[in-house]
Amino acid sequence: MPASVQSELFRKLSALGKVARYPDRDGEPEASALAYTICEVAESAEKIVNELLPAMKSTSDAEELEDLLFDFGEELRHILYHIRDSRYFDHLGAGENQ
């Protein structure tokens, strides 16, 4: 995802009181962390939709399907990491990163 997208999201999110109310974490505003989270989740979602699902649909090889399923799970893990890293999404009850 282009840095300009993340920068634009940061600018917009910084203006939202519901985002700005969170204190900085290690000098990083929540709006910055949230913009990064959104971009990372979007990239994982694109990979799932554009690469993994089509490959899963087209394969008839069980070993390849297992590998793709593993990759799918890794993208989900990546999404969960970012959801858990954002204070704004605490209400989702996603638990702690380990």
Side-chain angles (χ1 to χ4, degrees), residues 15-89:
L16 294 177
K18 288 187 176 185
V19 174
R21 72 178 180 186
Y22 293 96
D24 290 2
R25 187 181 330 165
D26 298 326
E28 180 182 31
E30 178 63 14
S32 177
L34 188 56
Y36 182 69
T37 288
I38 291 167
C39 290
E40 289 292 304
V41 169
E43 285 182 6
S44 283
E46 286 177 10
K47 183 173 181 180
I48 288 169
V49 170
N50 296 325
E51 296 175 29
L52 297 175
L53 285 175
M56 291 171 91
K57 284 174 47 178
S58 68
T59 190
S60 56
D61 181 80
E63 189 173 321
E64 182 180 3
L65 185 57
E66 287 177 1
D67 290 343
L68 290 164
L69 190 58
F70 176 83
D71 293 342
F72 189 94
E74 287 299 296
E75 291 304 320
L76 293 177
R77 182 188 57 75
H78 183 242
I79 290 169
L80 281 173
Y81 173 85
H82 286 288
I83 290 170
R84 291 173 178 156
D85 193 46
S86 169
R87 292 178 180 165
Y88 186 81
F89 292 123

